[in-house]
Amino acid sequence: MSKLDYGKNKQVHFDSEADKQRAFDYLLNPNNTNISFKHENNQNQGAWSSEDRIHFFSRDGVPDCLLKIMTAGVGNIAGRINCKELIDDLKVHGLVI
């Protein structure tokens, strides 16, 4: 069984391997224009370290397994997931930022 919890506070949790696979398939789809991956150097603004985020421009078509771990967005961002550990795992599976 692969890892289902991500983040220092386990802020990202997948209920099953199938949910995780659905999420990874969605996030790794190169034709998906609904999302953007951002690296922010927050340590330059007093935070502990840099942060990797996934921004969603719409909630339409986003799998439930991602909707439930998404936090509110700002401006034109419909929601976001803040978890460097998750993005690092996505990179292992082929994500290029």
Side-chain angles (χ1 to χ4, degrees):
M1 177 176 258
S2 71
K3 180 179 187 111
L4 297 178
D5 294 309
Y6 292 87
K8 289 181 182 177
N9 299 319
K10 299 188 187 315
Q11 66 265 33
V12 172
H13 170 77
F14 297 105
D15 291 334
S16 67
E17 289 283 336
D19 276 352
K20 179 180 174 180
Q21 187 62 53
R22 260 188 297 283
F24 274 48
D25 288 348
Y26 182 83
L27 295 170
L28 293 171
N29 182 343
N31 298 316
N32 189 347
T33 59
N34 185 40
I35 56 177
S36 174
F37 296 90
K38 300 289 182 188
H39 178 80
E40 299 175 357
N41 289 311
N42 294 339
Q43 76 278 9
N44 298 337
Q45 301 165 350
W48 291 99
S49 65
S50 62
E51 183 72 50
D52 289 329
R53 302 178 193 272
I54 305 169
H55 289 179
F56 295 81
F57 300 109
S58 169
R59 292 177 174 257
D60 296 340
V62 177
D64 287 340
C65 56
L66 290 172
L67 288 173
K68 73 177 191 169
I69 58 177
M70 193 182 296
T71 59
V74 177
N76 70 332
I77 306 300
R80 65 187 186 177
I81 297 173
N82 304 339
C83 187
K84 183 176 182 344
E85 187 177 15
L86 174 62
I87 292 178
D88 287 346
D89 201 7
L90 287 165
K91 287 177 184 176
V92 168
H93 289 86
L95 176 67
V96 176
I97 298 178

